[in-house]
Amino acid sequence: MQVFQSIQEFKEYRKSLMSETIAFVPTMGALHDGHLELVKQAKKYANYVIVSIYVNPTQFGINEDLDKYPRTLESDLEKLNALNVNAVFTPSNTDIYPNGVDESTLVIVPTLSEKWCGLSRPQFFKGITKVVLRLFNIVQPTIALFGEKDFQQLQIIKRMVTDLFLDIRIVGIPIIREKNGLAMSSRNQYLTTEQKDEASTIFKSLHAAKNAFDTGTTDSNILKNAIRAHIEKTSIIIDYLAIIDPLTLEEVNIASTDCRIILAGTLSATRLIDNIKL
Ligand code: AMP
């Protein structure tokens, strides 16, 4: 496995691969089984698998956890090496934003970025598209894999790729969970064992709502109220809870198959997001 920090050296490596098929998995490191599932799936789609590890400052708000975000490069590289990843790209901030984070070109996906996570984290999707487009241009993948855990992000990236005529196939991978149902996340490291159990109420309540949908309840308010009733028994503070159309991300009053129930909340200052497909 080759590890590149310099864009220049990475680009030379990329040139040597010529027209090989390349699957790309962008990450912020602190790798868990969710990330590793993306890598395993990536191998099914292409001859070469390239992973990036970069904690992108532009997607964090001023009072968010950029400084304390877990950084575990050595063990991340061991995990990727064990999966026979071909190359890992670990650029620095000055590589990615040579003109400074605020002065660098911005890509905005309107409407989709303004909802849900975009309301409580107005900088977030601007930072995501800013970095993902740069990584795409450097890596030039055939296909890129993203987790459905960040469902809004996945839809925004799909839209950016279509709108800008990028020749990259975007694939979404279902959420990998802990045994208790909690969606795996690098931020789960901030939680105690008891808090992780409490946080698993999110999935349990989403799952119960899906069961209610499967047995005939389609009124969004009824489904959401049942979820809210579970969550209110915990110390999780809900940021948003909605049942949405998967493409427009607009809220629906009557749930139908393929809609998503999406939820974000905080548990003792740790942001948790999750969703389930109906
Ligand atoms: P991050 O390092 O948090 O930026 O995540 C990198 C990629 O891994 C993103 O595409 C995430 O959606 C994906 N991801 C994170 N957690 C999970 C999970 N539990 N299951 C599936 N994919 C995930």
Side-chain angles (χ1 to χ4, degrees):
M1 185 175 83
Q2 302 199 55
V3 182
F4 298 93
Q5 190 185 346
S6 132
I7 294 183
Q8 200 48 43
E9 283 168 22
F10 179 83
K11 279 192 159 180
E12 273 159 33
Y13 165 76
R14 176 66 187 87
K15 252 190 225 152
S16 74
L17 302 182
M18 313 258 283
S19 53
E20 293 286 358
T21 52
I22 290 175
F24 177 43
V25 180
T27 80
M28 296 209 297
L31 302 181
H32 51 65
D33 286 351
H35 297 113
L36 300 182
E37 178 64 19
L38 265 60
V39 172
K40 287 178 197 158
Q41 294 293 328
K43 296 174 84 73
K44 298 184 183 163
Y45 288 94
N47 300 339
Y48 282 77
V49 174
I50 295 175
V51 176
S52 64
I53 297 179
Y54 176 57
V55 181
N56 171 40
T58 61
Q59 70 195 66
F60 288 80
I62 9 174
N63 295 319
E64 293 184 359
D65 57 343
L66 174 61
D67 290 339
K68 73 166 187 171
Y69 196 84
R71 288 159 171 90
T72 57
L73 184 60
E74 230 171 90
S75 73
D76 290 349
L77 293 178
E78 278 168 22
K79 289 174 187 173
L80 296 175
N81 194 31
L83 290 180
N84 296 321
V85 163
N86 298 92
V88 183
F89 179 47
T90 61
S92 67
N93 290 338
T94 45
D95 292 319
I96 295 292
Y97 301 115
N99 294 316
V101 288
D102 297 328
E103 291 303 314
S104 43
T105 304
L106 183 67
V107 185
I108 292 178
V109 177
T111 313
L112 292 184
S113 299
E114 288 150 22
K115 303 170 191 300
W116 315 122
C117 282
L119 286 173
S120 37
R121 306 182 74 194
Q123 79 299 331
F124 182 59
F125 293 117
K126 288 183 195 141
I128 294 282
T129 47
K130 212 172 194 177
V131 73
V132 171
L133 183 58
R134 282 170 171 74
L135 292 171
F136 281 175
N137 283 333
I138 297 164
V139 175
Q140 298 183 30
T142 325
I143 171 171
L145 296 93
F146 291 84
E148 289 183 356
K149 157 111 190 324
D150 301 279
F151 188 73
Q152 186 175 8
Q153 165 178 289
L154 171 64
Q155 297 310 99
I156 288 170
I157 287 164
K158 281 186 177 167
R159 176 68 70 80
M160 175 181 80
V161 163
T162 320
D163 281 358
L164 300 182
F165 305 102
L166 301 182
D167 222 353
I168 302 171
R169 178 172 167 204
I170 303 298
V171 171
I173 301 296
I175 302 174
I176 303 298
R177 300 180 177 282
E178 304 285 355
K179 276 201 193 81
N180 66 8
L182 174 64
M184 287 192 182
S185 161
S186 306
R187 288 194 168 95
N188 291 350
Q189 294 184 27
Y190 302 149
L191 301 174
T192 63
T193 311
E194 293 74 34
Q195 287 172 329
K196 283 181 189 162
D197 260 347
E198 206 175 358
S200 72
T201 311
I202 294 179
F203 174 68
K204 288 176 183 133
S205 63
L206 293 179
H207 194 252
K210 180 177 163 44
N211 282 342
F213 171 78
D214 287 341
T215 51
T217 310
T218 57
D219 185 317
S220 286
N221 282 329
I222 295 176
L223 294 168
K224 286 194 297 183
N225 286 340
I227 295 168
R228 213 171 270 121
H230 282 293
I231 305 279
E232 276 168 2
K233 288 186 198 137
T234 71
S235 37
I236 298 165
I237 297 161
I238 295 178
D239 173 15
Y240 61 74
L241 164 63
I243 304 183
I244 59 165
D245 175 281
L247 294 179
T248 64
L249 309 182
E250 295 283 352
E251 191 154 21
V252 298
N253 294 325
I254 300 296
S256 56
T257 305
D258 288 340
C259 282
R260 291 260 163 179
I261 312 180
I262 55 169
L263 188 150
T266 46
L267 175 57
S268 91
T270 298
R271 186 172 174 84
L272 303 165
I273 62 170
D274 204 343
N275 68 80
I276 198 165
K277 182 172 180 280
L278 292 179

